[in-house]
Amino acid sequence: MTSQDRKQSQRDAYRAADPADGPLTTDQGVAVGHTDDSLTAGERGPTLLEDFHFREKITRFDHERIPERVVHARGAGAYGFFEPYASCAEFTRAAFLQDPSVRTPVFVRFSTVQGPRGSADTVRDVRGFATKFYTAEGNYDLVGNNFPVFFIQDGIKFPDFVHALKPEPHNEIPTGASAHDTLWDFVSLQPETLHAIMWLMSDRAIPRSYRMMQGFGVHTFRFVDATGRGTFVKFHWKPKLGAHSLVWDEAQECQGRDPDFNRRDLWQAIENGEFPEWELGVQLVAEEDEFAFPYDLLDATKIIPEEQVPVRPIGRMVLDRNPDNFFAETEQVAFHTANLVPGIDFTNDPLLQARNFSYLDTQLMRLGGPNFAQIPVNQPVAPVRSNQRDGFHQHAIHTGTSYTPNSLGGGCPALAGAEQGAFTHLTERVEGAKIRRRSPGFTDHHSQAALFWHSMADWERRHIVDAFRFELGKVAARQVRRRTVAELAHVDHALAAAVAEGIGVPVPERDPAAVERKASSPALSLESLRGDGSIRTRQVAVLVGEGVDAAQLDAVRVELEEQGAVVEALAATDGKVTAADGNQYTVDRALPTVASVLYDAVLIPGGPARPAPWPDAAYLRFLRDAYRHGKPIGALGSGVGALSRLDLRGLRIASEPGRPVSDHGVVTDTSTGPDAREFTRALAGAMAAHRHWSRPPLQR
Ligand code: HDD
């Protein structure tokens, strides 16, 4: 039986009885024949205490909610597998990284950090990217984020940081947002936050999809080989579809149009058989090179630029199954940075050391006791034989002794030897005075914030400035605005000046040291993360109306769908429209139920009748939003005329049939025949680029 089969059979063992197999019962298995009226003394009399079915039903309902996670409360998860490309024995003895033919089952939970469980998905925030590997040697959890750096260096600051980030304590505002006084007060006083703040103000904080974001282990960990030799390692997940983001205006509108935008996207892709995939890569640093960098490897606010230490691909992860029950699986999954397997070990990163305490502690509270590892989603596939006993929600029926050493139990369970895969901690020499002090290597908070800034494309920088202006523009305390801008001047003066101007505070002095900080790492830009260039799973809205040229549209549609895009026909109302050939064309959704922000591209098909299928305002708004958000727009035949309603001065538009023109992601072709291959190729190309930022602004 493979590990995957074992994981499946564990879940099957806990699967609730098939509701089709028999009648409704109580929790004690007693058949229930009536669940609509409580037991009363007479038709109009009081309810009786002895109505055990009523009392059980209400009691269970009263207790349905458990405390949500203190951070990362809102999330979405899926099952899948990991497989290594080749043996990593050279660096680690971890069993799941040895054999390319062995698939290790995984459960991954993506999350936002600030908002509660019911908050919107597309807020500006870090995204959690936590992976549980159910390996043959026990569970290994890689509890990472979609940023490679964290806001603080020592875990003792975590409660301070989170209290500042969470809604303000008096009125619990804002939900799911960082644009408020307390966060920026903290940031302006704690410059170690700056590097992660640059990431937070970038488009990385508003991913288009969980399937299209990178993941990072953040800390420097250690691989340990069979001889006990350690190698520093940083983990990177790279999405096959590339890393893509929303724009802020779009992200905000999504919060209302579809608060479940990212959750739905993940779910739907997996339901459609479009299984998201990431490559796991590692940056490796020999122990003897620990001090070869101008920063400390133990400082989680620093990256190792990929240009200095390349990311080496070691395997791939595919998510191919949605959970059956959100609560049982996605909510109850319990990650822990200290869930390690032999071959992987910690470093003394003080942030990681704090996490190693926090995660177990929090699960005790959240999952109501110490037996949460028995919940199916948390159960290892490796057999568990421990002397841990009792406690709330104990499911195992233990027999025999529960102490070591014992003779009465035959000495069982016996201690594992090295040949049985016993975990051994890396032997590391540690000495020093007991002290509360950061290492001097942790003091440079600006160089890498500047590295990030100087690695961005122009459009990424514009978005970062806009984000700072938005966030700080929401801060009431002027001194907090001023202090933050003064900190930004240590990163880059142009950045600080642009932000200062936007929020009405004086432009700070130049920092001569900042002028020297010009290094860049191209790998940090989203430009370098376009993925495999495919348009798989991109959502295309087709604005159909009466008289649509169905033959031409279908030719385009089939081609796009063959390339994996998801095409939906939208009209003023659901149902059908009459196409140019007199046939009925099926509408997938009515416009009032959707919006441009929910799609990646728009297509205006041709048709001899009315080019504008909807009341003008809705139609134009759809197109305008798509244009402003940099989305590919295609127009065919008479649809090209409809597009001109946008007043696209400065763009080249097709005028000769059969000669499509593609300019800044606006693809036009005045052809009317069903052969639209050239047009479709150009549109797919524009879609593969995701967004087109340098478009001329709309004239009106
Ligand atoms: Fe944390 C949850 C990631 C620092 C304490 N964290 C949590 C989750 C992720 C991260 C992805 C959600 C897991 C899930 O989906 O259930 N946390 C990080 C990263 C950090 C980090 C990448 C820095 C590199 N965290 C951090 C520190 C502390 C915590 C410094 C405390 C000292 N984190 C927690 C927690 C949570 C948690 C309170 C809340 C719920 C949970 O653990 O299970 O223990």
Side-chain angles (χ1 to χ4, degrees), residues 536 557-565:
R536 296 211 78 78
R557 198 170 173 160
V558 164
E559 180 66 30
L560 291 177
E561 284 173 348
E562 266 172 15
Q563 293 184 40

Side-chain angles (χ1 to χ4, degrees), residues 68-72 75 108-111 113 127-130 142-145 147 149-152 154-156 158-159 216-219 300 330-331 333-337 349-352 354-363 366:
E68 64 176 32
R69 289 166 174 79
V70 56
V71 282
H72 297 265
V108 176
R109 183 173 178 275
F110 303 105
S111 48
V113 178
R127 299 298 183 286
F129 189 140
L142 182 55
V143 196
N145 278 342
F147 299 179
V149 286
F150 202 62
F151 297 86
I152 47 167
D154 188 319
I156 198 169
F158 194 64
F216 301 92
V218 182
H219 310 280
T330 310
E331 192 59 18
V333 67
F335 292 95
H336 185 10
T337 46
D349 172 346
L351 194 73
L352 176 58
R355 295 179 75 189
N356 289 341
F357 169 76
S358 177
Y359 287 72
L360 174 58
D361 185 43
T362 206
Q363 311 307 353
R366 197 169 69 78

Side-chain angles (χ1 to χ4, degrees), residues 139-423:
N139 286 354
Y140 168 54
D141 292 355
L142 182 55
V143 196
N145 278 342
N146 74 329
F147 299 179
V149 286
F150 202 62
F151 297 86
I152 47 167
Q153 296 173 318
D154 188 319
I156 198 169
K157 295 298 299 165
F158 194 64
D160 298 307
F161 167 65
V162 173
H163 288 169
L165 172 69
K166 283 276 181 182
E168 308 250 339
H170 57 303
N171 55 13
E172 215 189 29
I173 295 175
T175 301
S178 46
H180 62 113
D181 282 46
T182 52
L183 174 73
W184 290 96
D185 186 27
F186 181 82
V187 166
S188 66
L189 296 169
Q190 195 79 39
E192 71 199 54
T193 54
L194 265 185
H195 188 190
I197 284 291
M198 294 298 295
W199 283 78
L200 187 67
M201 294 302 106
S202 79
D203 289 359
R204 301 289 192 126
I206 36 175
R208 156 67 182 86
S209 161
Y210 291 139
R211 302 175 294 119
M212 300 173 194
M213 61 183 201
Q214 279 181 292
F216 301 92
V218 182
H219 310 280
T220 305
F221 291 90
R222 270 197 178 92
F223 270 162
V224 184
D225 73 7
T227 67
R229 182 182 60 107
T231 306
F232 293 111
V233 57
K234 277 191 181 278
F235 293 104
H236 295 242
W237 291 113
K238 200 174 233 180
K240 193 171 167 209
L241 294 174
H244 302 290
S245 290
L246 303 172
V247 259
W248 182 225
D249 179 68
E250 178 189 13
Q252 290 180 88
E253 202 189 318
C254 269
Q255 290 171 30
R257 296 282 184 177
D258 186 3
D260 304 306
F261 185 74
N262 291 140
R263 177 184 278 190
R264 187 189 309 283
D265 167 272
L266 178 68
W267 178 274
Q268 205 51 57
I270 294 175
E271 289 300 294
N272 293 349
E274 288 285 353
F275 301 138
E277 184 173 333
W278 288 261
E279 183 162 74
L280 182 64
V282 289
Q283 285 179 295
L284 298 170
V285 176
E287 292 265 338
E288 54 272 25
D289 293 336
E290 180 170 7
F291 300 107
F293 301 87
Y295 41 83
D296 200 318
L297 288 185
L298 305 186
D299 176 358
T301 68
K302 304 295 186 295
I303 58 161
I304 307 177
E306 289 183 32
E307 292 77 11
Q308 279 166 28
V309 178
V311 178
R312 193 175 157 136
I314 60 167
R316 70 181 191 120
M317 174 171 78
V318 177
L319 298 183
D320 58 5
R321 192 156 46 86
N322 279 316
D324 291 328
N325 184 288
F326 185 91
F327 177 82
E329 299 167 277
T330 310
E331 192 59 18
Q332 291 200 114
V333 67
F335 292 95
H336 185 10
T337 46
N339 285 348
L340 288 188
V341 289
I344 304 182
D345 212 328
F346 309 119
T347 57
N348 298 331
D349 172 346
L351 194 73
L352 176 58
Q353 299 281 321
R355 295 179 75 189
N356 289 341
F357 169 76
S358 177
Y359 287 72
L360 174 58
D361 185 43
T362 206
Q363 311 307 353
L364 293 174
M365 174 72 181
R366 197 169 69 78
L367 298 170
N371 289 309
F372 56 85
Q374 295 178 7
I375 297 170
V377 70
N378 295 323
Q379 262 186 35
V381 294
V384 174
R385 299 174 208 95
S386 85
N387 288 327
Q388 265 68 274
R389 290 290 185 271
D390 308 344
F392 282 116
H393 318 303
Q394 175 60 262
H395 281 64
I397 302 173
H398 293 107
T399 53
T401 58
S402 55
Y403 52 88
T404 300
N406 72 69
S407 67
L408 299 179
C412 299
L415 296 178
E419 69 292 348
Q420 288 162 303
F423 187 98

Side-chain angles (χ1 to χ4, degrees), residues 411-430:
C412 299
L415 296 178
E419 69 292 348
Q420 288 162 303
F423 187 98
T424 45
H425 293 268
L426 184 94
T427 309
E428 187 184 7
R429 189 178 169 79
V430 176

